Amino acid sequence: ISLLGAWRDIFHQWNMAFRIASIHRRQGTKPSTWREILGDWNRARHEHRNREQALLEAEISEKEVREKGATNRTPIPSAG
């Protein structure tokens, strides 16, 4: 996609967002305050960080289990 095409897509998306907001305002919906927006953003950021941390911890635990399983195997005696 060209830079011009990317800009066209972004302008189209913003145009649609403003049209949707206009419809909502006409229906009586009140826009969010900056405090609400920042609070939602902050919550989402913390949830994302916690989810990433949980995934990392699960990955580390899984790796430890695999490594422990590999070291606990008893060698099979060779016939000979």
Side-chain angles (χ1 to χ4, degrees):
I1 188 168
S2 69
L3 181 59
L4 187 59
W7 277 106
R8 184 190 66 234
D9 290 348
I10 290 170
F11 283 123
H12 175 73
Q13 290 172 359
W14 276 106
N15 184 28
M16 292 300 293
F18 281 110
R19 289 170 72 184
I20 292 168
S22 177
I23 292 167
H24 285 194
R25 278 193 307 276
R26 276 187 261 136
Q27 293 174 347
T29 303
K30 300 231 186 268
S32 298
T33 65
W34 279 107
R35 180 177 283 182
E36 291 168 336
I37 292 169
L38 290 175
D40 290 344
W41 176 76
N42 207 19
R43 260 188 307 285
R45 192 170 56 99
H46 286 293
E47 288 172 7
H48 176 74
R49 185 180 298 148
N50 292 340
R51 192 168 32 255
E52 288 291 317
Q53 183 65 32
L55 288 172
L56 180 61
E57 289 172 2
E59 187 178 318
I60 291 170
S61 296
E62 201 174 284
K63 183 178 178 184
E64 289 172 348
V65 167
R66 278 195 309 264
E67 289 173 354
K68 186 176 180 182
T71 58
N72 285 343
R73 293 186 184 147
T74 55
I76 300 174
S78 61

